Amino acid sequence: MSSLDTQKLNTIFELLENPRRRYVLYSLRRNAASMELDSLAERVAELEASDASARADDDHVRTVRVALHHVHLAKLADAGVVSHEPGRETVELAETEGFDRFLDQAVRVDCPM
């Protein structure tokens, strides 16, 4: 993501509107920008459990992993925010211009870490 325009701003807001995607980004940022998919799913499930709306049991972790694999990581990768290819087990936070300041604000507002 280079300089911001209306379309890029809309993409940023769309990405950050989903708590699960925000938790992915928070986790990657906190863990040196790279995590194995299983560890990432566990961390996201823990963060969701801290919201008291879900439990971080094995079933929930599996549910999160499937959703990350089939929905959220693809959306984040398409936007250039993370690097993840189907079949790879590593997810990496990408260098993005303009996105970081929005992620910083989101972390300040709702990050339970």
Side-chain angles (χ1 to χ4, degrees):
M1 281 188 187
S2 53
S3 63
L4 286 176
D5 59 25
T6 301
Q7 183 177 356
K8 289 177 184 172
L9 187 62
N10 288 340
T11 299
I12 289 169
F13 288 141
E14 181 183 339
L15 294 174
L16 294 177
E17 83 175 320
N18 184 282
R20 192 167 277 171
R21 285 193 292 270
R22 288 195 310 271
Y23 292 160
V24 164
L25 297 169
Y26 301 160
S27 299
L28 289 171
R29 177 180 268 191
R30 185 172 187 208
N31 289 289
S34 179
M35 292 181 79
E36 295 297 315
L37 181 55
D38 288 338
S39 297
L40 183 58
E42 287 176 22
R43 184 63 186 140
V44 170
E46 289 169 4
L47 291 169
E48 289 180 347
S50 72
D51 286 342
S53 62
R55 293 181 43 221
D57 59 21
D58 289 342
D59 287 337
H60 186 67
V61 172
R62 277 191 293 277
T63 299
V64 168
R65 188 186 193 289
V66 168
L68 292 181
H69 180 75
H70 290 287
V71 179
H72 301 293
L73 294 178
K75 193 175 269 286
L76 291 167
D78 287 346
V81 177
V82 302
S83 173
H84 176 260
E85 297 173 20
R88 273 191 42 214
E89 293 298 313
T90 302
V91 182
E92 299 173 352
L93 191 60
E95 293 290 324
T96 55
E97 183 182 326
F99 184 78
D100 291 337
R101 65 180 169 207
F102 292 96
L103 185 56
D104 289 343
Q105 289 299 317
V107 167
R108 284 188 200 101
V109 171
D110 79 340
C111 188
M113 292 184 202

